[in-house]
Amino acid sequence: MRKLEERILEDGIVLPGDVLKVGAFLNQQVDTGLLADMAEEVFALFSGCGVTKILTIESSGLPFATAVAMRFGVPMTFAKKHASANMTDDVLSAEVFSYTHGKTFRIVVGSEYIRKNDCVLIADDFLANGNALKGLISIVESAGAKVAGAAVQIEKCYQGGGDAVRKTGIRVESLAAIASMDGGRIRFRD
Ligand code: 5GP
């Protein structure tokens, strides 16, 4: 998506450790006009797939997942990184190594929120090594529901997570696909 790529070049900051900071428009502060355009793009890609629910992981995927869910007119559900007191033991869970925190979380979703007859579109801000996405897929599959696919705002293609998931037959779409950030210079995939 050209508009997102331009904004990344303008306001994205490449940090040490291969992390792209997009706090100015996507993560910590959200450009709502751009967000609405991204939701529209995802709707164009996946409408007609019978999506009944959008699933993400807290916390930085929440604005995108909510905007996408609003466009589809379906609920947004998110996996929590910490089980809270108001959750029962009846949960769907997966172990996920967090790229940005450098540790493993057990992510959980109350099992009442994903049912066998759901067709779930997974939405997240970044796709790097694919750990978050694989954890979310495993949660949907453990509920016996269908994965419609995954939509991510930014894929760092060179980290391989997206292609590993595509190889399993799951459709993965990214709105901006970064081929490399060598030397702090962002290059998009052709
Ligand atoms: P993965 O599990 O695919 O390795 O990483 C995906 C998760 O790590 C995303 O949910 C995102 O929150 C975080 N992440 C990965 N790479 C980046 C990055 O370059 N910048 C930011 N801001 N978050 C990232």
Side-chain angles (χ1 to χ4, degrees):
M1 191 181 163
R2 173 61 70 85
K3 208 169 163 180
L4 175 60
E5 290 181 354
E6 285 172 358
R7 193 62 186 273
I8 291 169
L9 292 177
E10 214 170 289
D11 289 330
I13 299 167
V14 181
L15 298 178
D18 228 10
V19 170
L20 177 63
K21 184 178 174 193
V22 286
F25 59 99
L26 198 145
N27 265 343
Q28 191 166 3
Q29 171 170 271
V30 178
D31 178 331
T32 52
L34 179 62
L35 184 67
D37 290 346
M38 289 190 275
E40 195 61 46
E41 184 85 8
V42 175
F43 185 72
L45 290 165
F46 286 96
S47 63
C49 296
V51 173
T52 61
K53 192 156 282 188
I54 310 297
L55 176 68
T56 192
I57 180 170
E58 67 177 356
S59 58
S60 51
L62 287 170
F64 179 53
T66 305
V68 171
M70 287 173 73
R71 184 61 188 86
F72 276 84
V74 299
M76 186 281 291
T77 304
F78 64 94
K80 294 185 175 235
K81 283 184 180 153
H82 306 279
S84 56
N86 61 6
M87 290 187 85
T88 65
D89 289 340
D90 192 8
V91 293
L92 304 160
S93 70
E95 298 277 314
V96 170
F97 178 77
S98 165
Y99 184 81
T100 41
H101 292 93
K103 62 178 183 176
T104 299
F105 291 91
R106 179 173 168 257
I107 61 167
V108 290
V109 177
S111 55
E112 68 269 43
Y113 301 123
I114 303 180
R115 296 295 194 189
K116 260 207 269 304
N117 54 356
D118 272 320
C119 177
V120 180
L121 175 61
I122 296 167
D124 205 358
D125 59 343
F126 274 90
L127 172 55
N129 297 302
N131 297 315
L133 180 54
K134 285 176 199 158
L136 292 170
I137 291 169
S138 123
I139 281 185
V140 176
E141 289 176 343
S142 66
K146 188 177 160 202
V147 179
V152 295
Q153 290 174 300
I154 302 174
E155 177 178 355
K156 294 189 291 180
C157 306
Y158 58 94
Q159 288 180 275
D163 284 343
V165 172
R166 288 182 186 100
K167 271 197 196 122
T168 69
I170 291 176
R171 182 179 173 195
V172 180
E173 300 281 357
S174 48
L175 302 183
I178 295 178
S180 93
M181 300 204 297
D182 290 346
R185 185 169 162 262
I186 300 168
R187 270 200 320 105
F188 294 102
R189 191 172 58 188
D190 296 326

